[in-house]
Amino acid sequence: MAAEKSPIKICITGGAGQIAYSLLLEIASGKVFGLDQPVILHLLDIEPCMEKLNGVVMELEDLALSLVRGVVATADPLKAFADVDVALLLGAFPRLKGMERKDLLAKNNDIFRVTGKAIDSVAKKTVKVVVVGNPCNTNALTCMKNAPSIPKENFTCLTRLDQNRAKSQLAGKLGVSVSQISNVIIWGNHSGTQFPDARHASVTMNGAPESLTKVLSDDAWIKSDFITTVQQRGAAVIKARGLSSAMSAAKAIGDHTRDWWFGTKEGEFTSMGVISDGSYNIPAGIIYSFPVTIDAGGKWHIVQNLKQDDFATEKMVATYNELKEEATAAADLAAAAN
């Protein structure tokens, strides 16, 4: 009989929020880290949310799941990130009505500077960090810069939700299951400038993978409605339900983290916001969503040599330019704070 695995520690910020509420069951039930992997959950939120967070702890206890070996609920980042293996950063300052983007960047710059420093001080040096709170690419960059003892490759941001949205749109258009769609790409920023790219995607038909664009044969839709639908999906959800995506966001976080933990399937890649290294002529040093493969050891690799046409290049540069502006603004804020 195999020896039981030692528990891993997972920190979730924004622990009292609606995304965490959906995500916690995914993790606690073994869907993310495995059915044989015990977990200790560290839940972080701000002091005014402690009563609500304690209610979440009660529910975790009432689930009576054998994989949950402990729960820590705290408003102290140093306690929350202590010795953690994975940090899922859901918490961020929301964009309020009338707030300019620069104000949102300023609020979150403060939050993620503190977060990065806490991770640098007390988390494991091998910690895997997934930033979800928006603007997630630039928040991840800020967090990374404030945790210099952690490898840059250990900081990622979530674009898997956009990828899942894109797969769903393509499957619906083709009248197939989403499980038949693979290798859809999200390039760039998790924002309205992102570039959902189906040109390298495959669809499995009659048991064999085929070029999705050839099967679909609708280039006009691929270059117009498909892109704008994915880009604007988050806003459409907010308009319809009065709240941002939670259930689908939690599922995407689980997908992202599971692939990072176990690796991607042979022949498939996924989209993650990672530190740029000059690939595809995107200058090094920003968190940009690329197609990546992930090996069994958890190391990601940007997929190389995917052909780009003028249309794709224009879209990829446009989303880079937005990220560059955000990164410059964040650097200015950091300089002013020091």
Side-chain angles (χ1 to χ4, degrees), residues 109-299:
N109 189 268
D110 291 340
I111 292 170
F112 283 88
R113 280 194 299 110
V114 171
T115 299
K117 289 176 180 178
I119 290 172
D120 195 57
S121 295
V122 298
K124 288 182 178 178
K125 299 308 177 186
T126 55
V127 64
K128 288 178 165 62
V129 181
V130 183
V131 179
V132 179
N134 288 315
C136 63
N137 296 62
T138 301
N139 287 344
L141 184 66
T142 298
C143 192
M144 181 196 78
K145 287 185 174 181
N146 284 277
S149 70
I150 310 293
K152 293 179 180 179
E153 294 77 15
N154 289 30
F155 291 85
T156 67
C157 78
L158 185 76
T159 55
R160 184 61 169 265
L161 176 55
D162 306 304
Q163 178 183 304
N164 287 351
R165 288 165 171 167
K167 285 181 67 174
S168 179
Q169 292 299 313
L170 292 165
K173 185 74 170 177
L174 286 166
V176 300
S177 167
V178 290
S179 64
Q180 294 172 247
I181 308 290
S182 61
N183 295 349
V184 182
I185 301 169
I186 304 297
W187 300 96
N189 201 2
H190 174 64
S191 73
T193 68
Q194 66 176 264
F195 174 37
D197 183 3
R199 295 167 307 125
H200 306 284
S202 297
V203 56
T204 300
M205 307 290 285
N206 301 315
E210 299 183 36
S211 167
L212 185 145
T213 52
K214 287 183 179 179
V215 173
L216 182 58
S217 190
D218 192 345
D219 196 53
W221 181 81
I222 287 287
K223 289 184 175 180
S224 56
D225 289 353
F226 165 67
I227 292 175
T228 55
T229 297
V230 177
Q231 288 175 333
Q232 299 170 10
R233 189 67 164 186
V237 170
I238 292 172
K239 183 178 179 180
R241 70 184 294 258
L243 295 167
S244 61
S245 301
M247 180 169 52
S248 58
K251 163 67 163 50
I253 297 163
D255 292 343
H256 174 118
T257 307
R258 183 172 52 254
D259 279 352
W260 199 3
W261 195 257
F262 291 107
T264 47
K265 295 178 182 178
E266 184 70 27
E268 294 189 13
F269 45 78
T270 189
S271 298
M272 293 171 59
V274 299
I275 189 69
S276 57
D277 63 358
S279 295
Y280 298 99
N281 295 316
I282 301 301
I286 63 166
I287 303 291
Y288 188 100
S289 183
F290 289 98
V292 301
T293 57
I294 306 168
D295 61 36
K299 183 175 176 59

Side-chain angles (χ1 to χ4, degrees), residues 30 52-53 59 69 92 96 98 113-114 123 133 139 192 201 244 273 290 305 325 327:
K52 186 176 179 181
L53 188 60
E59 288 217 62
R69 301 302 170 82
L96 304 176
R113 280 194 299 110
V114 171
N139 287 344
S244 61
F290 289 98
N305 302 317
E325 289 179 8

Side-chain angles (χ1 to χ4, degrees), residues 6-77:
S6 298
I8 58 173
K9 295 181 179 180
I10 303 150
C11 178
I12 301 174
T13 74
Q18 59 166 347
I19 297 176
Y21 194 78
S22 294
L23 177 61
L24 282 166
L25 181 58
E26 293 257 324
I27 293 172
S29 63
K31 290 183 180 180
V32 178
F33 297 100
L35 298 174
D36 61 347
Q37 178 59 69
V39 297
I40 297 172
L41 302 171
H42 290 203
L43 309 182
L44 175 67
D45 218 312
I46 57 176
E47 198 64 49
C49 292
M50 282 299 101
E51 184 176 358
K52 186 176 179 181
L53 188 60
N54 287 332
V56 173
V57 174
M58 292 180 206
E59 288 217 62
L60 284 167
E61 293 171 347
D62 295 348
L63 286 171
L65 291 171
S66 62
L67 291 177
V68 179
R69 301 302 170 82
V71 182
V72 175
T74 182
D76 181 357

